[in-house]
Amino acid sequence: PTVVSLSPASGDIAGGNSISVRGFGFLPSDFLSCQFGDAEPVTAVFNSSTAVLCRAPPWNWGDPSGIPVEVAINGWDFT
Protein backbone atom coordinates (compact mmCIF):
# COMPACT_ATOMS: atom_id res chain seq x y z
CA PRO A 1 0.00 0.00 0.00
CA THR A 2 0.95 3.64 -0.48
CA VAL A 3 -0.01 6.49 1.86
CA VAL A 4 -0.81 9.77 0.10
CA SER A 5 -2.46 11.96 2.75
CA LEU A 6 -3.88 12.13 6.28
CA SER A 7 -6.99 13.86 7.56
CA PRO A 8 -6.67 15.59 9.89
CA ALA A 9 -3.00 16.19 9.21
CA SER A 10 -2.25 16.83 12.89
CA GLY A 11 -3.68 16.05 16.30
CA ASP A 12 -3.22 16.11 20.05
CA ILE A 13 -0.05 14.54 21.50
CA ALA A 14 -2.34 12.72 23.96
CA GLY A 15 -3.50 10.59 21.01
CA GLY A 16 -6.95 9.19 20.42
CA ASN A 17 -7.64 11.13 17.22
CA SER A 18 -9.30 9.20 14.39
CA ILE A 19 -7.10 9.64 11.34
CA SER A 20 -8.34 8.95 7.83
CA VAL A 21 -5.37 7.62 5.85
CA ARG A 22 -5.77 8.07 2.09
CA GLY A 23 -3.71 6.29 -0.52
CA PHE A 24 -3.99 3.18 -2.66
CA GLY A 25 -3.42 -0.53 -2.49
CA PHE A 26 -5.22 -1.06 0.83
CA LEU A 27 -6.83 -4.48 1.28
CA PRO A 28 -9.16 -5.84 3.96
CA SER A 29 -7.14 -7.87 6.45
CA ASP A 30 -7.30 -8.98 10.08
CA PHE A 31 -3.75 -7.62 10.38
CA LEU A 32 -4.29 -4.20 8.75
CA SER A 33 -2.26 -1.72 10.84
CA CYS A 34 -0.97 1.83 10.97
CA GLN A 35 2.32 2.91 12.48
CA PHE A 36 2.92 6.49 13.61
CA GLY A 37 6.67 7.12 13.68
CA ASP A 38 8.36 4.70 16.11
CA ALA A 39 5.21 4.07 18.17
CA GLU A 40 3.74 0.58 18.40
CA PRO A 41 1.45 -0.22 15.44
CA VAL A 42 -2.29 0.28 15.92
CA THR A 43 -5.18 -1.57 14.31
CA ALA A 44 -6.57 -0.01 11.14
CA VAL A 45 -10.15 -0.21 9.88
CA PHE A 46 -10.55 -0.89 6.16
CA ASN A 47 -12.88 1.56 4.39
CA SER A 48 -11.85 1.01 0.77
CA SER A 49 -8.83 0.29 -1.39
CA THR A 50 -8.03 4.01 -1.06
CA ALA A 51 -8.86 4.70 2.62
CA VAL A 52 -8.29 3.23 6.09
CA LEU A 53 -9.08 4.66 9.51
CA CYS A 54 -6.58 4.60 12.40
CA ARG A 55 -6.64 5.94 15.95
CA ALA A 56 -3.47 7.90 16.70
CA PRO A 57 -1.50 6.68 19.72
CA PRO A 58 -0.14 9.02 22.40
CA TRP A 59 3.08 10.70 21.25
CA ASN A 60 5.86 10.93 23.85
CA TRP A 61 8.88 11.61 21.64
CA GLY A 62 8.93 15.39 21.23
CA ASP A 63 7.39 17.46 18.46
CA PRO A 64 4.58 15.49 16.77
CA SER A 65 4.65 17.49 13.53
CA GLY A 66 5.95 15.59 10.55
CA ILE A 67 5.53 12.13 12.08
CA PRO A 68 5.60 9.52 9.30
CA VAL A 69 2.52 7.32 9.09
CA GLU A 70 2.78 3.94 7.41
CA VAL A 71 0.28 1.15 6.69
CA ALA A 72 0.79 -2.61 6.63
CA ILE A 73 -1.71 -5.15 5.35
CA ASN A 74 0.02 -8.05 7.14
CA GLY A 75 0.86 -6.22 10.38
CA TRP A 76 4.63 -5.98 9.85
CA ASP A 77 5.62 -4.90 6.30
CA PHE A 78 4.98 -1.15 6.64
CA THR A 79 5.07 1.16 3.60
Side-chain angles (χ1 to χ4, degrees), residues 6-46:
L6 307 174
S7 180
S10 64
D12 192 307
I13 62 170
N17 303 74
S18 290
I19 308 294
S20 177
V21 181
R22 300 285 181 173
F24 53 91
F26 303 135
L27 299 171
S29 166
D30 290 340
F31 304 102
L32 189 63
S33 306
C34 290
Q35 187 170 28
F36 293 78
D38 293 332
E40 288 294 315
V42 296
T43 300
V45 176
F46 178 81

Side-chain angles (χ1 to χ4, degrees), residues 47-74:
N47 287 337
S48 72
S49 64
T50 59
V52 298
L53 187 65
C54 301
R55 190 162 305 276
W59 189 255
N60 301 315
W61 299 277
D63 183 5
S65 62
I67 297 168
V69 177
E70 300 178 284
V71 174
I73 294 169
N74 61 9

